[in-house]
Amino acid sequence: MSTLSSGKTIGQYVLEQPALSKVFGNLGIDFCCGGKRPLDEVCQEKGLDIAEVLKAIEDATNTSDTETMNWQAASLSEMVDHIYDIHHQYLYEEMPRLLQMTQKVARVHGDKDARLGKLAEVYGQLVSELTIHMLKEENVLFPYCRELETAKVQPKFHCGSIANPIRVMGLEHEQAGSLLETMRDLTDGYTPPEWACNTYRAMLAGLKDMEADIHQHIHEENNILFPKALQKSDSLGG
Ligand SMILES: [Fe+2]
Ligand SMILES: [Fe+2]
């Protein structure tokens, strides 16, 4: 059980209690790229009442579902398999469907809200960047992680230390996080206007789910997989 303390970082809360990712997601608090920041600082910046947020954390902790896996104990290859099977596959399936929907809603309803065109554009950018990003992980970083797991001496990587691809992936995660934040702003936190048709509503629901999945995905890479890989690499003499 975690000790409630508003000065603790958001990433630490989610590492100790993975189910809290939902609480933070619902409050629009970034627990992946912004996970290193203390909770009280982020609440202040977002105008959230820290007492209410701590209460929501306490409630979620007390009713925590056991389905949310604690990946801290997993091996490097188990983590990589899970990220690929669950998060990458989800994006490969869902990204094209939502791309079509964002374009259609912008075309049909763009005259009522000009932000819909911008949303389709920003989402299109997210899809292109994530597609390249995931290929880099699958072709470079994930095989390195698997190799490291069983290595007795530091493996030779063509891009030097594993810290190099990890740094690049971290920067790309920040970029994805900032595109998601723009999308949240453009959609009033994925809230449909009264006049929204079913496609519009389904698009917002799909984008909101995708935001939650990407946040969880990046959290697992930034706060679990990458530190684990760096630690193993350091133990082999950097
Ligand atoms: Fe990934
Ligand atoms: Fe990633």
Side-chain angles (χ1 to χ4, degrees):
M1 181 74 56
S2 62
T3 313
L4 292 183
S5 153
S6 58
K8 191 154 72 175
T9 67
I10 295 161
Q12 196 59 37
Y13 272 111
V14 179
L15 274 179
E16 289 174 8
Q17 192 65 44
L20 291 180
S21 58
K22 269 189 205 157
V23 175
F24 292 136
N26 289 338
L27 292 167
I29 293 177
D30 172 11
F31 60 90
C32 46
C33 296
K36 291 194 174 76
R37 299 181 62 200
L39 179 62
D40 49 4
E41 185 186 301
V42 175
C43 286
Q44 200 171 23
E45 187 184 288
K46 288 192 161 285
L48 295 166
D49 182 343
I50 183 72
E52 278 177 27
V53 173
L54 287 173
K55 174 79 174 57
I57 289 173
E58 196 176 0
D59 289 349
T61 303
N62 292 338
T63 57
S64 167
D65 59 87
T66 47
E67 282 172 32
T68 316
M69 175 78 182
N70 186 343
W71 287 103
Q72 262 182 299
S75 70
L76 282 171
S77 33
E78 280 170 339
M79 273 308 294
V80 163
D81 285 346
H82 161 77
I83 290 169
Y84 175 75
D85 291 344
I86 303 300
H87 300 297
H88 286 208
Q89 289 308 321
Y90 161 79
L91 284 172
Y92 289 134
E93 277 173 30
E94 194 66 349
M95 284 190 310
R97 185 182 79 91
L98 287 170
L99 191 60
Q100 273 194 343
M101 283 171 111
T102 51
Q103 287 167 350
K104 184 178 172 188
V105 170
R107 202 169 53 241
V108 180
H109 299 298
D111 55 337
K112 286 205 197 79
D113 187 343
R115 294 180 302 171
L116 290 170
K118 181 73 184 162
L119 176 69
E121 190 187 305
V122 174
Y123 178 68
Q125 188 184 343
L126 179 73
V127 169
S128 317
E129 293 183 5
L130 278 182
T131 303
I132 298 168
H133 173 82
M134 288 193 290
L135 281 176
K136 285 191 221 168
E137 288 180 339
E138 289 161 24
N139 293 325
V140 180
L141 186 59
F142 290 177
Y144 277 18
C145 288
R146 288 181 201 283
E147 211 178 319
L148 262 180
E149 179 163 286
T150 51
K152 297 278 182 281
V153 292
Q154 189 67 239
K156 294 245 175 299
F157 295 140
H158 78 263
C159 51
S161 154
I162 197 163
N164 292 330
I166 283 180
R167 192 170 45 246
V168 176
M169 294 303 103
L171 290 172
E172 292 179 3
H173 289 166
E174 280 179 28
Q175 162 73 357
S178 112
L179 291 174
L180 285 172
E181 230 174 281
T182 305
M183 287 166 56
R184 182 168 264 275
D185 286 346
L186 287 169
T187 56
D188 303 320
Y190 300 106
T191 311
E194 242 172 66
W195 50 265
C197 66
N198 284 343
T199 308
Y200 191 161
R201 286 171 194 273
M203 171 195 80
L204 289 178
L207 290 176
K208 192 176 178 191
D209 285 350
M210 182 173 282
E211 182 199 59
D213 194 88
I214 294 175
H215 280 162
Q216 181 64 29
H217 176 176
I218 293 179
H219 161 69
E220 287 170 11
E221 290 175 352
N222 276 5
N223 301 328
I224 306 174
L225 178 67
F226 296 174
K228 226 183 249 285
L230 288 169
Q231 197 181 28
K232 173 73 197 217
S233 176
D234 285 349
S235 77
L236 296 173

